[in-house]
Amino acid sequence: MTGLSPPVTLRGMPVQVSDVDLLRRRVLNVVGHELRTPVSTLSGLARELETCDDDGKRSELAAAVARSARRLDRLVDDLLLAAGITTLVPVEEAQAVDLVATARSLWTGPGDAISGCAVALARPQVARRALTELLDNATIYGEAPFSITAWATGGRAIVEIANGGPAISDEELALALELFFRGERAVTTQAGLGLGLAVARTLVEADGGDIALRAGPAGGVIAHLELPAP
Amino acid sequence: MSDPLRVLVVDDEDDVRLLLRLQLETYGHSVTGEAADGQAALDLCRADPPDAVILDLLMPRMNGFEVIPKLRTELPAVAIVAYTAVAGDFVRNEMRRLHVPLVLKTANFAPLDVALHAAVADLRDRSTGPAR
């Protein structure tokens, strides 16, 4: 026993204990913030449901309770995945997934924004989750024009999702796929954990693919998703 | 039950808006409209000014911090109550500076009801009170 504590490292790099403490407090703050809204909403909806005697309102309330519960469920899944606990990763087998059809089923913007074709060999839930995160990210934080372009090359199925809007700094783009990172615009406009893109990348990497972000030529962001082709 | 108010609900979460609408109605208030972002809130206020706005702070397009000065300038007779999940020092100080009452999101509507009445009464007192 030497009395010395082992050096604290993060991804193999030495860090100060004060940095770890700051990080821990930031993570707990974000998690607490994100849990509070669905928990308080769920609790309030349940109270209303208990006292409501209007059948129409009761079914509206029941649907809202179910939505809030699903949101909490997904939040907990994401936190477990972020913690490296992978028991919740879908156990389905990889199969041919039409990425364009999946994107069309998720996209709520103009249909002509989507072009090309690409079929991937992946777990359908992984492909769907990745496209959901990338499309949500584009529409929530970006602006028109949007384009979703798919193609296949060299045994890879690729989808790129481009949005307009203000230019994002290289520093922010480099961090955007990290756990708990929230961009400058996100912090003031949107509640969120900063987990979605990081979790999507973790899942996609497990299927032999990758997600990357780069700046658009005239502002905005281009998100690049690639997965193995069958 | 205290005086019913006409209230605009502003929150980007559908279920939070639904809950607030039902709670407001339970407390005898009427909802003039619902908005999911700051710009829609301003448009609805201009079209049909409510007594008060329940204003979420983190919203896409135009957030609550951006809405407050615009509402104050254009529609000074509309009371504002900020409604947020978690408020750190920055949010608390900013709302104090702007004289906007802040209520934390909980399942209990009573604190929000109190804050709405207080904010409306405060505005009415200012508009009818002696010039300072």
Side-chain angles (χ1 to χ4, degrees):
Chain A
M1 181 78 106
T2 63
L4 292 174
S5 301
V8 178
T9 61
L10 187 64
R11 294 184 180 178
M13 300 293 289
V15 290
Q16 298 294 315
V17 171
S18 57
D19 293 338
V20 175
D21 189 46
L22 179 66
L23 182 65
R24 186 179 62 204
R25 279 189 283 123
R26 283 188 58 187
V27 168
L28 287 172
N29 180 30
V30 170
V31 170
H33 187 283
E34 274 312 286
L35 284 171
R36 181 147 197 175
T37 295
V39 167
S40 64
T41 305
L42 193 53
S43 176
L45 290 167
R47 276 191 195 193
E48 290 291 316
L49 195 53
E50 275 178 341
T51 56
C52 180
D53 49 14
D54 177 318
D55 284 348
K57 278 186 182 173
R58 282 182 70 84
S59 51
E60 195 179 9
L61 280 164
V65 165
R67 272 195 305 270
S68 284
R70 277 198 299 273
R71 179 176 162 185
L72 272 173
D73 197 32
R74 181 168 155 179
L75 199 59
V76 172
D77 281 1
D78 283 356
L79 285 167
L80 289 170
L81 277 169
I85 299 166
T86 54
T87 52
L88 294 165
V89 171
V91 292
E92 62 188 349
E93 295 293 323
Q95 53 190 273
V97 181
D98 183 337
L99 296 181
V100 173
T102 306
R104 280 194 194 283
S105 72
L106 298 166
W107 178 242
T108 54
D112 60 2
I114 302 178
S115 62
C117 57
V119 175
L121 180 64
R123 290 169 296 175
Q125 286 185 59
V126 168
R128 187 174 184 83
R129 178 66 191 272
L131 284 166
T132 300
E133 293 296 342
L134 295 177
L135 291 169
D136 282 356
N137 207 59
T139 51
I140 291 171
Y141 302 116
E143 298 170 8
F146 299 101
S147 71
I148 299 140
T149 312
W151 72 96
T153 180
R156 308 292 275 177
I158 294 166
V159 178
E160 287 201 342
I161 297 159
N163 63 263
I168 310 293
S169 71
D170 290 341
E171 292 81 3
E172 194 166 321
L173 282 174
L175 290 168
L177 293 164
E178 295 295 324
L179 287 168
F180 297 109
F181 176 78
R182 306 203 60 230
E184 194 177 328
R185 183 70 182 150
V187 169
T188 56
T189 61
Q190 194 79 21
L193 273 177
L195 285 181
L197 287 175
V199 166
R201 182 169 68 166
T202 301
L203 291 170
V204 164
E205 284 176 347
D207 277 16
D210 196 14
I211 290 176
L213 303 175
R214 65 180 191 273
V221 174
I222 298 173
H224 175 97
L225 165 68
E226 66 174 75
L227 284 160
Chain B
M1 191 170 283
S2 47
D3 288 344
L5 300 173
R6 300 176 70 253
V7 181
L8 175 70
V9 174
V10 187
D11 197 299
D12 61 334
E13 304 232 6
D14 295 348
D15 292 340
V16 174
R17 293 200 307 276
L18 167 67
L19 178 60
L20 285 172
R21 173 159 54 84
L22 294 173
Q23 290 174 323
L24 284 161
E25 288 168 359
T26 300
Y27 272 69
H29 305 301
S30 60
V31 176
T32 62
E34 296 179 19
D37 64 68
Q39 186 56 57
L42 283 176
D43 293 343
L44 287 172
C45 278
R46 288 173 188 136
D48 181 16
D51 295 317
V53 173
I54 298 173
L55 184 66
D56 184 24
L57 293 176
L58 294 185
M59 292 182 294
R61 286 179 280 283
M62 184 188 292
N63 65 37
F65 299 97
E66 295 166 307
V67 171
I68 291 168
K70 290 179 190 295
L71 261 182
R72 282 273 165 77
T73 305
E74 284 187 46
L75 295 157
V78 174
I80 305 169
V81 175
Y83 191 58
T84 188
V86 173
D89 289 345
F90 170 77
V91 171
R92 287 166 197 259
N93 291 335
E94 196 60 8
M95 293 304 110
R96 202 174 292 126
R97 183 182 70 78
L98 294 165
H99 302 290
V100 171
L102 176 67
V103 176
L104 296 179
K105 288 179 180 174
T106 68
N108 182 8
F109 184 75
L112 189 52
D113 186 56
V114 170
L116 284 167
H117 280 291
V120 170
D122 185 48
L123 265 190
R124 286 176 183 164
D125 287 349
R126 283 170 195 249
S127 64
T128 57
R132 293 180 195 177

